[in-house]
Amino acid sequence: MIKIIAGGKKNQGWVLEAVSEYQKRMRKPFDFSFQFMSEERLSGYLAEWPFSGREFVIVCDERGKNISSREYSEMLSRAFSASREVVILIGGAYGFSNFVREKADFLWSFSKLVFPHGLARAIVAEQTYRANQIAEGRPYHHE
């Protein structure tokens, strides 16, 4: 199971629609839950670092590493094989503190471009679905 926690302003309809569509298609262990909170609440939540170390925490951050869809699929599969729950953090307009970036297991950059947090949520949902399809050898992903 993947837990996606996102901060920022309220979800727009198209974001909810996109995330919901991919969420319906997911198969275990790539299925995900989505938790949304205000940027201030997310900052407070993460300041206490609520993770025990059993989770594999991915932070979406423009300063992170750019990886391929296949590498993302392999990363998730390795985490599942190690019996780790995957947590993906998507920040709001101001991103994350150095503390959060340093605590993460992986900093993930989608590209050198900066995206609004709504679009980042849709990208994470689609790429997680794509990772699921890659892991299962299905034809959704073309190389």
Side-chain angles (χ1 to χ4, degrees):
M1 169 68 98
I2 299 169
K3 183 177 185 180
I4 301 170
I5 304 171
K9 294 180 182 172
K10 196 158 183 87
N11 284 313
Q12 295 173 309
W14 68 269
V15 174
L16 294 173
E17 189 175 328
V19 169
S20 177
E21 180 59 34
Y22 289 112
Q23 202 167 22
K24 286 188 287 191
R25 299 180 188 184
M26 299 307 294
R27 298 175 193 205
K28 293 182 185 236
F30 289 80
D31 55 325
F32 62 85
S33 67
F34 197 90
Q35 182 180 358
F36 177 78
M37 56 183 77
S38 71
E39 194 164 0
E40 297 79 27
R41 186 167 166 236
L42 179 60
S43 292
Y45 176 73
L46 294 175
E48 301 296 321
W49 197 252
F51 309 113
S52 66
R54 291 185 302 264
E55 302 87 355
F56 184 78
V57 181
I58 299 171
V59 169
C60 298
D61 189 279
E62 64 202 42
R63 290 160 278 223
K65 183 177 180 188
N66 187 270
I67 57 174
S68 70
S69 297
R70 184 163 299 282
E71 289 170 314
Y72 178 55
S73 179
E74 291 166 357
M75 180 189 312
L76 295 178
S77 294
R78 281 192 306 274
F80 297 141
S81 292
S83 299
R84 294 180 81 184
E85 178 185 23
V86 175
V87 177
I88 301 173
L89 302 174
I90 303 170
Y94 298 101
F96 293 105
S97 67
N98 286 333
F99 171 77
V100 171
R101 285 192 295 275
E102 289 168 6
K103 294 287 269 182
D105 293 294
F106 186 75
L107 293 179
W108 180 22
S109 171
F110 304 144
S111 82
K112 292 186 182 218
L113 301 172
V114 176
F115 298 103
H117 53 270
L119 185 55
R121 291 180 212 139
I123 290 170
V124 168
E126 190 281 334
Q127 284 298 301
T128 302
Y129 173 70
R130 183 176 297 274
N132 187 186
Q133 296 298 290
I134 290 169
E136 292 183 355
R138 298 193 174 266
Y140 180 81
H141 179 74
H142 306 283
E143 289 188 291

